[in-house]
Amino acid sequence: MNCRNTIDIITLGCSKNLVDSEKLIHQLELNGYKVTHDSENPKGEIAIVNTCGFIGDAKEESINMILELAQRKQQGKLRQLIVMGCLSQRYFQELQTELPEVDRFYGKFDWKQIVTDLGGTYHKEASNERRLTTPPHYAYLKISEGCNRQCAYCAIPIITGKQKSRSIEDIVAEVESLVAKGVVELQVIAQELTGYGTDLYGKQMIAELIERIAQVPGIKWIRLHYAYPANFPMELLQVMKRHDNVCKYLDIALQHISDSQLSAMRRHITRQQTYDLIETIRNEVPGIHLRTTLMVGFPGETEEDFKELLDFVKWAKFERMGAFAYSEEEGTYGAENYEDNVPDDVKQARLSKLMRLQQQVSEEVQQSKVGQLLQVIIDRKEGNYFIGRTEYDSPEVDPEVLIKSPRPAPRKESLRPGQFVQVKIESADEFDLYGAALEIKN
Ligand code: SF4
């Protein structure tokens, strides 16, 4: 049997799940538990899996992790197995029947109950506090839960329900407490960032929120994720221009470009409006790096639709891009109204063709940085290299900068995580940049 009073928390899925896990870890530690967050090295007698349930692969990964831990329990290495998060939020009854090895299931929002069910006390006064599992210099900042959109392929609203924005005061208070802990960089996240505030303030308030966060002393970089293209709040671009600490970076999922696909996906935006939006963003915030997500193989996608998508990617030159093949999700509008009629081999062929095109774009983008002097934040050291990111790189998903140790003269001390350093970019491959540190900023 593993360590008494030790709990292993395993987080699957997205950074929004990670924030929940970090808050749960803090509450359990306040109750005297020792908590680990390393699925590779389980140590505890209790395991809590924070699951993901939004698409097939993610569900499979969650189930496999639960089964792996159930086996450890059968081997007597685990006393209790607890499951929480999106998979159990979505399939609560089914999972209880199919996985009797699991002691207790919780959803996505009642994880606080875990603390009391384990005999502890939930500390409401510390509800904004968390134990960071990211490197201490950056944190994910979740500004709302849920989503009011109804994209035809997406199960997230089924799992998370309607959008619930946190108040600006509550978020700014959390930012101040994160700064006090040494955080200098924030990854701002939500299910749908640009809708922030419509439920609480009756209108989009993302620009006001980022304006307030940008004024918190000590925050050096604020990076925005999960923006939605329809009724995009243009005032947000003015905030980006006004503040150096708001990264010239925007993650905005576009999914497709052809009018027939955009309307079938229920994205509430047209082909022309999308072109205009990208043009406006690039004109308003010169040098901005755009990350997007595209989907191929959605029901009804023709060769012509796909060709439009390739032309759009050639024109838009997204600095960062992820792409997926459509997978039908039960309960979604798409599953209930469309036949999944694009054959798998066609989906995969379109996906690889799209990613090959993007690889060329990404290579051009990275090569264009050779010779430039860029501000880099150091994340870690690996071998003879320090690994960092520019303001155009979000952790885990975007390229990195590999820095040779700084020239000895004139400074002796080497670099450390959380430090900003000026780097001369000397070379690039299709993904990462390589360079030398010239001047240490802080
Ligand atoms: S906006 Fe995002 S989270 Fe919301 S329904 Fe659409 S794809 Fe899903």
PDB file of all heavy atoms in Angstrom, residues 344-364:
ATOM      1  N   ASP A 344     -13.520   8.148 -43.558  1.00  0.00           N
ATOM      2  CA  ASP A 344     -12.342   8.367 -42.703  1.00  0.00           C
ATOM      3  C   ASP A 344     -11.071   8.601 -43.505  1.00  0.00           C
ATOM      4  O   ASP A 344     -10.277   9.494 -43.192  1.00  0.00           O
ATOM      5  CB  ASP A 344     -12.147   7.159 -41.768  1.00  0.00           C
ATOM      6  CG  ASP A 344     -12.917   7.365 -40.475  1.00  0.00           C
ATOM      7  OD1 ASP A 344     -13.381   8.528 -40.278  1.00  0.00           O
ATOM      8  OD2 ASP A 344     -13.071   6.407 -39.702  1.00  0.00           O
ATOM      9  N   ASP A 345     -10.866   7.802 -44.567  1.00  0.00           N
ATOM     10  CA  ASP A 345      -9.608   7.977 -45.327  1.00  0.00           C
ATOM     11  C   ASP A 345      -9.557   9.359 -45.982  1.00  0.00           C
ATOM     12  O   ASP A 345      -8.499   9.993 -46.059  1.00  0.00           O
ATOM     13  CB  ASP A 345      -9.442   6.865 -46.372  1.00  0.00           C
ATOM     14  CG  ASP A 345     -10.613   6.826 -47.349  1.00  0.00           C
ATOM     15  OD1 ASP A 345     -11.685   7.413 -47.008  1.00  0.00           O
ATOM     16  OD2 ASP A 345     -10.473   6.253 -48.442  1.00  0.00           O
ATOM     17  N   VAL A 346     -10.718   9.871 -46.388  1.00  0.00           N
ATOM     18  CA  VAL A 346     -10.758  11.222 -46.970  1.00  0.00           C
ATOM     19  C   VAL A 346     -10.457  12.251 -45.873  1.00  0.00           C
ATOM     20  O   VAL A 346      -9.673  13.181 -46.069  1.00  0.00           O
ATOM     21  CB  VAL A 346     -12.138  11.499 -47.621  1.00  0.00           C
ATOM     22  CG1 VAL A 346     -12.235  12.949 -48.104  1.00  0.00           C
ATOM     23  CG2 VAL A 346     -12.404  10.525 -48.762  1.00  0.00           C
ATOM     24  N   LYS A 347     -11.034  12.054 -44.677  1.00  0.00           N
ATOM     25  CA  LYS A 347     -10.770  12.963 -43.546  1.00  0.00           C
ATOM     26  C   LYS A 347      -9.266  13.007 -43.283  1.00  0.00           C
ATOM     27  O   LYS A 347      -8.662  14.088 -43.210  1.00  0.00           O
ATOM     28  CB  LYS A 347     -11.467  12.478 -42.276  1.00  0.00           C
ATOM     29  CG  LYS A 347     -12.961  12.695 -42.210  1.00  0.00           C
ATOM     30  CD  LYS A 347     -13.510  12.174 -40.884  1.00  0.00           C
ATOM     31  CE  LYS A 347     -15.018  12.292 -40.818  1.00  0.00           C
ATOM     32  NZ  LYS A 347     -15.575  11.660 -39.592  1.00  0.00           N
ATOM     33  N   GLN A 348      -8.651  11.821 -43.165  1.00  0.00           N
ATOM     34  CA  GLN A 348      -7.227  11.768 -42.822  1.00  0.00           C
ATOM     35  C   GLN A 348      -6.368  12.368 -43.936  1.00  0.00           C
ATOM     36  O   GLN A 348      -5.400  13.080 -43.678  1.00  0.00           O
ATOM     37  CB  GLN A 348      -6.814  10.327 -42.517  1.00  0.00           C
ATOM     38  CG  GLN A 348      -7.460   9.743 -41.273  1.00  0.00           C
ATOM     39  CD  GLN A 348      -7.429  10.678 -40.069  1.00  0.00           C
ATOM     40  OE1 GLN A 348      -6.401  11.350 -39.833  1.00  0.00           O
ATOM     41  NE2 GLN A 348      -8.542  10.794 -39.354  1.00  0.00           N
ATOM     42  N   ALA A 349      -6.766  12.120 -45.197  1.00  0.00           N
ATOM     43  CA  ALA A 349      -5.990  12.670 -46.329  1.00  0.00           C
ATOM     44  C   ALA A 349      -6.051  14.198 -46.309  1.00  0.00           C
ATOM     45  O   ALA A 349      -5.032  14.880 -46.485  1.00  0.00           O
ATOM     46  CB  ALA A 349      -6.558  12.130 -47.637  1.00  0.00           C
ATOM     47  N   ARG A 350      -7.242  14.751 -46.025  1.00  0.00           N
ATOM     48  CA  ARG A 350      -7.384  16.209 -45.972  1.00  0.00           C
ATOM     49  C   ARG A 350      -6.592  16.760 -44.777  1.00  0.00           C
ATOM     50  O   ARG A 350      -5.904  17.771 -44.903  1.00  0.00           O
ATOM     51  CB  ARG A 350      -8.863  16.600 -45.868  1.00  0.00           C
ATOM     52  CG  ARG A 350      -9.623  16.383 -47.170  1.00  0.00           C
ATOM     53  CD  ARG A 350     -11.115  16.685 -47.054  1.00  0.00           C
ATOM     54  NE  ARG A 350     -11.791  16.395 -48.324  1.00  0.00           N
ATOM     55  CZ  ARG A 350     -13.122  16.355 -48.472  1.00  0.00           C
ATOM     56  NH1 ARG A 350     -13.915  16.617 -47.410  1.00  0.00           N
ATOM     57  NH2 ARG A 350     -13.660  16.082 -49.639  1.00  0.00           N
ATOM     58  N   LEU A 351      -6.648  16.053 -43.645  1.00  0.00           N
ATOM     59  CA  LEU A 351      -5.930  16.525 -42.451  1.00  0.00           C
ATOM     60  C   LEU A 351      -4.431  16.588 -42.720  1.00  0.00           C
ATOM     61  O   LEU A 351      -3.785  17.610 -42.464  1.00  0.00           O
ATOM     62  CB  LEU A 351      -6.217  15.597 -41.267  1.00  0.00           C
ATOM     63  CG  LEU A 351      -5.691  16.014 -39.904  1.00  0.00           C
ATOM     64  CD1 LEU A 351      -6.238  17.374 -39.495  1.00  0.00           C
ATOM     65  CD2 LEU A 351      -6.027  14.958 -38.847  1.00  0.00           C
ATOM     66  N   SER A 352      -3.868  15.525 -43.314  1.00  0.00           N
ATOM     67  CA  SER A 352      -2.409  15.562 -43.531  1.00  0.00           C
ATOM     68  C   SER A 352      -2.042  16.596 -44.601  1.00  0.00           C
ATOM     69  O   SER A 352      -1.016  17.274 -44.460  1.00  0.00           O
ATOM     70  CB  SER A 352      -1.820  14.206 -43.880  1.00  0.00           C
ATOM     71  OG  SER A 352      -2.738  13.425 -44.544  1.00  0.00           O
ATOM     72  N   LYS A 353      -2.895  16.787 -45.612  1.00  0.00           N
ATOM     73  CA  LYS A 353      -2.594  17.805 -46.637  1.00  0.00           C
ATOM     74  C   LYS A 353      -2.594  19.187 -45.998  1.00  0.00           C
ATOM     75  O   LYS A 353      -1.694  20.005 -46.238  1.00  0.00           O
ATOM     76  CB  LYS A 353      -3.639  17.735 -47.761  1.00  0.00           C
ATOM     77  CG  LYS A 353      -3.291  18.557 -48.985  1.00  0.00           C
ATOM     78  CD  LYS A 353      -4.166  18.201 -50.172  1.00  0.00           C
ATOM     79  CE  LYS A 353      -3.718  18.974 -51.405  1.00  0.00           C
ATOM     80  NZ  LYS A 353      -4.564  18.651 -52.576  1.00  0.00           N
ATOM     81  N   LEU A 354      -3.555  19.442 -45.121  1.00  0.00           N
ATOM     82  CA  LEU A 354      -3.649  20.738 -44.438  1.00  0.00           C
ATOM     83  C   LEU A 354      -2.429  20.949 -43.537  1.00  0.00           C
ATOM     84  O   LEU A 354      -1.808  22.012 -43.538  1.00  0.00           O
ATOM     85  CB  LEU A 354      -4.934  20.782 -43.597  1.00  0.00           C
ATOM     86  CG  LEU A 354      -5.258  22.056 -42.864  1.00  0.00           C
ATOM     87  CD1 LEU A 354      -5.418  23.230 -43.818  1.00  0.00           C
ATOM     88  CD2 LEU A 354      -6.531  21.878 -42.028  1.00  0.00           C
ATOM     89  N   MET A 355      -2.034  19.901 -42.790  1.00  0.00           N
ATOM     90  CA  MET A 355      -0.884  20.051 -41.881  1.00  0.00           C
ATOM     91  C   MET A 355       0.423  20.200 -42.660  1.00  0.00           C
ATOM     92  O   MET A 355       1.326  20.923 -42.235  1.00  0.00           O
ATOM     93  CB  MET A 355      -0.821  18.864 -40.922  1.00  0.00           C
ATOM     94  CG  MET A 355      -1.944  18.832 -39.909  1.00  0.00           C
ATOM     95  SD  MET A 355      -2.296  20.439 -39.158  1.00  0.00           S
ATOM     96  CE  MET A 355      -0.836  20.655 -38.122  1.00  0.00           C
ATOM     97  N   ARG A 356       0.508  19.582 -43.823  1.00  0.00           N
ATOM     98  CA  ARG A 356       1.733  19.747 -44.644  1.00  0.00           C
ATOM     99  C   ARG A 356       1.841  21.206 -45.101  1.00  0.00           C
ATOM    100  O   ARG A 356       2.901  21.828 -45.031  1.00  0.00           O
ATOM    101  CB  ARG A 356       1.713  18.809 -45.851  1.00  0.00           C
ATOM    102  CG  ARG A 356       2.171  17.387 -45.564  1.00  0.00           C
ATOM    103  CD  ARG A 356       2.598  16.666 -46.864  1.00  0.00           C
ATOM    104  NE  ARG A 356       1.549  16.657 -47.864  1.00  0.00           N
ATOM    105  CZ  ARG A 356       0.520  15.786 -47.852  1.00  0.00           C
ATOM    106  NH1 ARG A 356       0.416  14.912 -46.849  1.00  0.00           N
ATOM    107  NH2 ARG A 356      -0.424  15.816 -48.782  1.00  0.00           N
ATOM    108  N   LEU A 357       0.708  21.768 -45.522  1.00  0.00           N
ATOM    109  CA  LEU A 357       0.709  23.173 -45.949  1.00  0.00           C
ATOM    110  C   LEU A 357       1.115  24.059 -44.777  1.00  0.00           C
ATOM    111  O   LEU A 357       1.959  24.948 -44.891  1.00  0.00           O
ATOM    112  CB  LEU A 357      -0.689  23.561 -46.442  1.00  0.00           C
ATOM    113  CG  LEU A 357      -0.926  25.040 -46.725  1.00  0.00           C
ATOM    114  CD1 LEU A 357       0.013  25.552 -47.792  1.00  0.00           C
ATOM    115  CD2 LEU A 357      -2.389  25.284 -47.105  1.00  0.00           C
ATOM    116  N   GLN A 358       0.541  23.789 -43.586  1.00  0.00           N
ATOM    117  CA  GLN A 358       0.843  24.622 -42.421  1.00  0.00           C
ATOM    118  C   GLN A 358       2.310  24.508 -42.008  1.00  0.00           C
ATOM    119  O   GLN A 358       2.928  25.469 -41.551  1.00  0.00           O
ATOM    120  CB  GLN A 358      -0.049  24.256 -41.240  1.00  0.00           C
ATOM    121  CG  GLN A 358       0.207  25.064 -40.000  1.00  0.00           C
ATOM    122  CD  GLN A 358       0.060  26.577 -40.188  1.00  0.00           C
ATOM    123  OE1 GLN A 358      -0.636  27.032 -41.089  1.00  0.00           O
ATOM    124  NE2 GLN A 358       0.765  27.347 -39.364  1.00  0.00           N
ATOM    125  N   GLN A 359       2.882  23.327 -42.248  1.00  0.00           N
ATOM    126  CA  GLN A 359       4.296  23.157 -41.893  1.00  0.00           C
ATOM    127  C   GLN A 359       5.157  24.127 -42.709  1.00  0.00           C
ATOM    128  O   GLN A 359       6.075  24.762 -42.179  1.00  0.00           O
ATOM    129  CB  GLN A 359       4.725  21.714 -42.145  1.00  0.00           C
ATOM    130  CG  GLN A 359       6.024  21.363 -41.418  1.00  0.00           C
ATOM    131  CD  GLN A 359       6.262  19.847 -41.435  1.00  0.00           C
ATOM    132  OE1 GLN A 359       5.336  19.069 -41.673  1.00  0.00           O
ATOM    133  NE2 GLN A 359       7.502  19.463 -41.182  1.00  0.00           N
ATOM    134  N   GLN A 360       4.797  24.289 -43.982  1.00  0.00           N
ATOM    135  CA  GLN A 360       5.538  25.242 -44.830  1.00  0.00           C
ATOM    136  C   GLN A 360       5.376  26.664 -44.273  1.00  0.00           C
ATOM    137  O   GLN A 360       6.352  27.406 -44.138  1.00  0.00           O
ATOM    138  CB  GLN A 360       5.019  25.221 -46.266  1.00  0.00           C
ATOM    139  CG  GLN A 360       5.323  23.946 -47.044  1.00  0.00           C
ATOM    140  CD  GLN A 360       4.415  23.848 -48.276  1.00  0.00           C
ATOM    141  OE1 GLN A 360       3.838  24.858 -48.710  1.00  0.00           O
ATOM    142  NE2 GLN A 360       4.230  22.640 -48.787  1.00  0.00           N
ATOM    143  N   VAL A 361       4.130  27.006 -43.915  1.00  0.00           N
ATOM    144  CA  VAL A 361       3.869  28.352 -43.370  1.00  0.00           C
ATOM    145  C   VAL A 361       4.672  28.544 -42.085  1.00  0.00           C
ATOM    146  O   VAL A 361       5.369  29.544 -41.908  1.00  0.00           O
ATOM    147  CB  VAL A 361       2.357  28.539 -43.085  1.00  0.00           C
ATOM    148  CG1 VAL A 361       2.121  29.846 -42.341  1.00  0.00           C
ATOM    149  CG2 VAL A 361       1.530  28.454 -44.354  1.00  0.00           C
ATOM    150  N   SER A 362       4.635  27.521 -41.207  1.00  0.00           N
ATOM    151  CA  SER A 362       5.317  27.632 -39.919  1.00  0.00           C
ATOM    152  C   SER A 362       6.826  27.801 -40.119  1.00  0.00           C
ATOM    153  O   SER A 362       7.462  28.613 -39.459  1.00  0.00           O
ATOM    154  CB  SER A 362       5.026  26.370 -39.097  1.00  0.00           C
ATOM    155  OG  SER A 362       5.868  26.332 -37.981  1.00  0.00           O
ATOM    156  N   GLU A 363       7.359  27.064 -41.101  1.00  0.00           N
ATOM    157  CA  GLU A 363       8.804  27.166 -41.384  1.00  0.00           C
ATOM    158  C   GLU A 363       9.147  28.590 -41.834  1.00  0.00           C
ATOM    159  O   GLU A 363      10.099  29.194 -41.331  1.00  0.00           O
ATOM    160  CB  GLU A 363       9.173  26.162 -42.484  1.00  0.00           C
ATOM    161  CG  GLU A 363      10.486  25.434 -42.229  1.00  0.00           C
ATOM    162  CD  GLU A 363      10.575  24.186 -43.110  1.00  0.00           C
ATOM    163  OE1 GLU A 363      10.066  23.141 -42.685  1.00  0.00           O
ATOM    164  OE2 GLU A 363      11.111  24.314 -44.214  1.00  0.00           O
ATOM    165  N   GLU A 364       8.325  29.147 -42.715  1.00  0.00           N
ATOM    166  CA  GLU A 364       8.562  30.527 -43.187  1.00  0.00           C
ATOM    167  C   GLU A 364       8.528  31.497 -42.002  1.00  0.00           C
ATOM    168  O   GLU A 364       9.404  32.342 -41.849  1.00  0.00           O
ATOM    169  CB  GLU A 364       7.450  30.946 -44.159  1.00  0.00           C
ATOM    170  CG  GLU A 364       7.617  30.554 -45.617  1.00  0.00           C
ATOM    171  CD  GLU A 364       6.309  30.830 -46.366  1.00  0.00           C
ATOM    172  OE1 GLU A 364       5.696  31.910 -46.096  1.00  0.00           O
ATOM    173  OE2 GLU A 364       5.860  29.937 -47.123  1.00  0.00           O
TER     174      GLU A 364
END
